[in-house]
Structure formats: C-alpha cells, structure tokens
Amino acid sequence: MSGSDALSLFVSALAISLPIFGWLTLGFVLHKVGLLPQTLNDRISLLAFNFGLPLMLCAGAAQVDYSQLNEARYLLAGVSAALITFCLSWSYAGWRGYTDKSRGVFVQAAFRSNLAILGVALSVSAYGQMATALAALPVAIMTVLYNVLAVIVLNRTHGSGAGVKDSLVGILRNPLILGITAGVVLSVLPMRLPSFVAPGGDLLSAFFLPLVLICIGGSMRLGRLLPLEAFSWEASAWRLIASPLIGVLIGLALGVRGEALGVLFLLLATPVAASSHIMVIAYRGDGALAANLIVVTTLLSAVTVTLGIFGLSLLSLVGELR
C-alpha cells in the first residue's frame, strides 16, 4: 500500500471519530457558556432516551435478516468478549490488590462500553444507516448482559444495594431494549415492512444521535477528574484497548470480516457507559471514581477509536468506510 493510500485511510478514520467527538465538545462548550443548563440537558436526554433512540433502533432492528448466520457470529464475538473481559479484569484487579469497592468499579469499567449511544453513533458515522441494522441485535443482547454482569460484580464487591430483582426489572423495562425487541418482532413477522421504515430510521439517526451526543458532552465535568493514578490508566486500557482487541480477535477467529467486524470493534471500543456511574451510586460505591473513568475514557477514546479503525482498515478487515 502506498503512502497516499494509507493517508487516505487515516483521513477516513478521522472522519468517523472527529464528528462524534465534535458534538461532545459542542455540548461541553454550550454548557460552559450557559446555553445548555443541566435542567434542559436532562429533559432533552430523557426525551431522546425514552423515544428517539428506541424508535431509531427499532427501525434498524426491523430491517435485519435474522436468518443470516453472520449476525450470529459477530454477536457471539461481542458476548464472548464481554464475558472474557469480565473474568480477566476481575482476576487482574485481584492480582493488583485493589480493595473490593475499587475492584467493582474497575471491572465494570473494563467490560461496559457505551455501545448503545456512542457505539451506534460511531457505526453510523463509519457505514451509514446500514450500521443501525447491524448494531441493533448486539446492542440489545449486550445491554442486557452488561447490566446482569454489573449486578453480579457490584453485589459481590459492594453488597446489596439497588436489589437484584429491581435491577433486573429495570433491564427489562429499558426503552432501548423495548425498541429493539419491537423491531425484531416486526422483522420476523410474515408481513412486508412499510416503505417509510428505512428513511424514517435515517431521519431519526440524523436528528437524535447528534442531540444525544451534545447532551453527553454537556454532562461532562472536567473538574471531576481525580489525579490520574495507575488505577485510572489501567482501567482505561482495559476499556479502550483490551476489550475491543479481545472482541476483534474472537471475531476474526469466527470468520467475521467487513462491516460486521467494523461495527463490532466500534461497539466495543467506546468509553465507559454513563450508566455504570448510576449503578455504582445505587450500590453506595465510589461515585467520584466511576465518574472519573467515564471522563478519562471519553477523552482518550478519540485517539484509540481513530487509531483502531485505521489499523483495521489498513489490514482490509473492516470494509470500505464511507
């Protein structure tokens, strides 16, 4: 490959990540200058989470052909990566001698990516609306898995907090999961989908994804950053490097290539999910430490996502980026 071809691929990789982190930066700036107060941010986020994103993911899930085995392979790779990362990071945190409460925060940060929002946004930026269909089923299954694993690790390290039953009921009532489930039902029903489903999904993506990203940026507080000690760097490395690397290697071993592998990487390579902070607080854990990891991994992911998708493109493994 010539130097110009490599440069072109790198520019394509930047074109995926820069708009996403540009929206985050815009939200941060709008909040700092007083144009996006927290009360307004909370209302917009609630609207997007309860209605906009579920409808968008429903439209994507409704267009998936679930008879194709390729979906099962990259879904299996994502689920396996989460489980392996969970087990390995648990062992690593124990080997490093972290206290139980720190260990719980560390492990949840290691396996729990922000796949439903940032992962979908990056995938759409890379491959267009077809990525919503590719991401829908992994987002549904892995969101449930992430929450179950979080309940397990936080109960083990923090003791009873929110309650296992309440946590599981909350998972089943998650608007994103309900939206994707509705889309799956529409897909498998013996009826032709209305012609407006695909363009409707495009419009929802174009409107709600930037809106949610602005809200995430508006919620970031750089003042929350604690001194970046070894704990933060190590947890960030597990989240942004180890977890997506494990997923990609499993995907390659299962024969996953092209856009499916690209979407798998982008779903797994995102920062720590904001919901991890909420669950740590519910279990009366170190909320400041959990919030710190969200901010740190969000900042670092601008680099790791760009370099990761560039490297995979350079090896011709993830299909053509748009």
Side-chain angles (χ1 to χ4, degrees):
M1 176 179 292
S2 68
S4 60
D5 291 337
L7 179 60
S8 177
L9 284 176
F10 185 70
V11 170
S12 297
L14 280 176
I16 293 169
S17 59
L18 283 183
I20 304 305
F21 294 99
W23 289 118
L24 294 175
T25 303
L26 176 61
F28 178 78
V29 171
L30 289 176
H31 175 78
K32 292 295 287 185
V33 300
L35 295 178
L36 186 61
Q38 192 60 48
T39 52
L40 177 61
N41 193 333
D42 291 343
R43 290 172 184 169
I44 295 174
S45 298
L46 191 64
L47 173 67
F49 184 76
N50 287 328
F51 298 102
L53 290 177
L55 286 173
M56 184 193 80
L57 291 171
C58 177
Q63 300 173 66
V64 177
D65 180 2
Y66 295 101
S67 65
Q68 298 297 314
L69 294 179
N70 189 50
E71 277 76 16
R73 289 200 300 272
Y74 80 84
L75 173 59
L76 177 60
V79 169
S80 300
L83 292 172
I84 291 172
T85 302
F86 175 85
C87 295
L88 292 180
S89 62
W90 174 269
S91 299
Y92 179 86
W95 174 73
R96 291 285 284 124
Y98 294 134
T99 64
D100 270 356
K101 290 198 172 184
S102 295
R103 192 179 192 181
V105 174
F106 185 96
V107 173
Q108 190 183 200
F111 73 78
R112 192 166 193 170
S113 69
N114 194 337
L115 78 173
I117 299 177
L118 285 178
V120 171
L122 286 164
S123 298
V124 170
S125 181
Y127 300 112
Q129 182 57 30
M130 66 168 290
T132 309
L134 284 171
L137 193 57
V139 166
I141 300 299
M142 292 177 66
T143 297
V144 174
L145 177 63
Y146 284 171
N147 281 277
V148 170
L149 293 178
V151 169
I152 292 171
V153 72
L154 292 175
N155 268 310
R156 172 63 180 81
T157 58
H158 290 66
S160 59
V164 176
K165 181 179 178 181
D166 290 342
S167 296
L168 294 178
V169 170
I171 294 169
L172 297 177
R173 295 173 61 183
N174 186 305
L176 302 181
I177 294 174
L178 293 176
I180 294 170
T181 302
V184 172
V185 171
L186 287 174
S187 176
V188 300
L189 286 176
M191 56 181 287
R192 187 179 181 85
L193 288 176
S195 59
F196 61 79
V197 170
D202 290 339
L203 290 174
L204 288 167
S205 297
F207 178 73
F208 277 104
L209 281 179
L211 193 63
V212 173
L213 294 172
I214 288 172
C215 289
I216 293 174
S219 299
M220 289 179 61
R221 302 291 182 267
L222 296 185
R224 290 175 178 169
L225 285 175
L226 305 174
L228 292 186
E229 299 176 350
F231 182 95
S232 296
W233 288 112
E234 291 169 18
S236 298
W238 274 93
R239 167 83 303 278
L240 300 176
I241 299 174
S243 178
L245 179 60
I246 291 169
V248 167
L249 291 176
I250 295 173
L252 291 173
L254 294 175
V256 180
R257 300 290 189 278
E259 289 83 358
L261 185 66
V263 168
L264 173 66
F265 168 77
L266 292 170
L267 292 178
L268 294 177
T270 54
V272 179
S275 52
S276 66
H277 173 256
I278 296 170
M279 290 199 70
V280 169
I281 293 295
Y283 279 80
R284 297 185 292 276
D286 191 338
L289 185 59
N292 182 62
L293 291 177
I294 293 170
V295 176
V296 172
T297 55
T298 299
L299 295 174
L300 293 177
S301 64
V303 176
T304 57
V305 168
T306 302
L307 293 179
I309 198 67
F310 168 64
L312 292 171
S313 299
L314 205 60
L315 297 171
S316 300
L317 294 174
V318 293
E320 185 176 351
L321 306 176
R322 73 169 187 170

